[in-house]
Amino acid sequence: MATFAPNNLLLSGLTINEGDLIGVLVGNLSAIGSNGGTLAEQGLTYALVAGEGSEDNSRFQLSNGQLKAAQVFDRETQVQLRVRIRVTDGEGRSFEKPFTILSLIHI
């Protein structure tokens, strides 16, 4: 059975409300394979990595394919937050992508 290397990465949420608690879910990650289909989560690992678009990595955490806040955000301080995430499959093939997270006013 052929396996397909990851060649895209999706994040289900790209916003966070200012004042949300540490650990709040920003979004779920999923990987797309070179065949265009979603890869099974089994055997995939995700990591915040250095590189273009990683300026705010330390302000987030990854756990079980979920991006979560590692601090409370203040929109007046910063509206756009940038993270860079790598997905690696069980065969060591990887793909990296930067994401911009918007801090929204909590109403």
Side-chain angles (χ1 to χ4, degrees), residues 4 23 25 32-33 46 51 57 77-78 80 85 89 94 97 99:
F4 299 96
L25 177 66
I32 305 298
Y46 298 97
N57 280 5
T77 304
Q78 189 172 5
Q80 294 186 355
I85 300 173
D89 69 10
S94 63
K97 185 175 179 178
F99 293 93

Side-chain angles (χ1 to χ4, degrees), residues 18-41:
E18 71 173 343
D20 277 352
L21 299 176
I22 293 172
V24 72
L25 177 66
V26 175
N28 294 300
L29 291 159
S30 57
I32 305 298
S34 55
N35 67 338
T38 302
L39 297 175
E41 290 300 309

Side-chain angles (χ1 to χ4, degrees), residues 33-72:
S34 55
N35 67 338
T38 302
L39 297 175
E41 290 300 309
Q42 184 176 3
L44 295 179
T45 57
Y46 298 97
L48 292 161
V49 293
E52 185 178 338
S54 67
E55 295 87 354
D56 299 300
N57 280 5
S58 65
R59 302 173 80 181
F60 294 89
Q61 58 189 358
L62 277 175
S63 175
N64 298 319
Q66 296 183 320
L67 183 67
K68 298 179 180 182
Q71 70 177 64
V72 176

